[in-house]
Amino acid sequence: MDEILDIGKDDKASYNLGLTPLHPPQKSVIRTVLGINLLVLLIGIGFADVMLAKEAELTPLGIFLGPAAILALIIFIMLPERKYRRWGYDMAADQLRVLRGYLFRTDTVVPFNRIQHIDVAQGPIQRFYGVSTLIVHTAGTHNSVVDLPGLKPEDAEAMREEMRKHIKQEMI
């Protein structure tokens, strides 16, 4: 269930208590993807800034790009670490629990008997940093796909095989 997270000092320490954190290179993946998105956004703002400066001669060049670049830099520095710290997972004997979110917290529990199939995916940025995403497809329509990014490839494969064993046992 999503709920607004009250970020106090005690809450920061206990948020992921008992959960396995993501593989540390996931911070670099988050930062790289965020950097690409911010760069595209800043290019668009820069283009609009130049066009507006040409049309309205009273508007100084950089009036929008300057503040946007400062805001983008603050986001680029602070967000990846916060986002990384707010992910965790726990694989129990019969379920997978994935906890994520900073402002809106999502705590997802996937019972193994609801799993339809499991994928391990790796995009080019993830491959560069040596991380994978475990994708669990479940029965039902609401939240039927649960992604767990930032795993070591061998851990993602091992988790997939462990879940697959449970699925086979329940079918017999």
Side-chain angles (χ1 to χ4, degrees):
M1 179 177 302
D2 289 353
E3 58 186 64
I4 295 179
L5 177 63
D6 180 26
I7 302 170
K9 289 185 180 190
D10 294 333
D11 188 43
K12 284 182 182 178
S14 65
Y15 183 77
N16 286 343
L17 194 60
L19 297 177
T20 304
L22 301 179
H23 191 42
Q26 180 64 14
K27 284 186 266 190
S28 298
V29 171
I30 295 168
R31 190 173 308 282
T32 301
V33 170
L34 179 63
I36 292 168
N37 289 330
L38 289 173
L39 183 62
V40 169
L41 182 64
L42 287 175
I43 289 170
I45 292 171
F47 179 75
D49 201 10
V50 168
M51 296 308 288
L52 187 61
K54 283 184 179 179
E55 290 296 321
E57 295 170 6
L58 299 175
T59 306
L61 184 62
I63 194 164
F64 297 112
L65 185 59
I70 292 170
L71 182 61
L73 183 61
I74 292 169
I75 290 170
F76 182 76
I77 291 169
M78 294 181 67
L79 188 64
E81 179 66 32
R82 288 178 179 251
K83 194 171 182 181
Y84 172 79
R85 281 194 327 248
R86 296 302 180 155
W87 274 91
Y89 68 94
D90 179 46
M91 190 159 131
D94 61 343
Q95 68 185 16
L96 173 67
R97 178 179 181 214
V98 179
L99 185 65
R100 66 184 177 277
Y102 184 70
L103 292 177
F104 298 95
R105 184 170 37 187
T106 303
D107 189 352
T108 306
V109 177
V110 181
F112 291 158
N113 64 352
R114 302 284 293 166
I115 294 175
Q116 298 292 312
H117 66 278
I118 311 149
D119 298 320
V120 175
Q122 226 183 13
I125 296 171
Q126 287 179 311
R127 199 168 22 259
F128 180 77
Y129 289 110
V131 295
S132 295
T133 299
L134 181 72
I135 304 168
V136 180
H137 300 268
T138 63
T141 56
H142 181 67
N143 292 332
S144 63
V145 177
V146 177
D147 293 341
L148 180 55
L151 300 173
K152 289 181 187 177
E154 55 272 12
D155 290 347
E157 294 287 338
M159 289 173 71
R160 178 176 65 180
E161 289 307 310
E162 186 65 30
M163 288 180 202
R164 194 174 59 78
K165 288 177 190 174
H166 286 281
I167 294 169
K168 281 185 176 181
Q169 287 175 357
E170 291 183 20
M171 293 176 70
I172 296 175

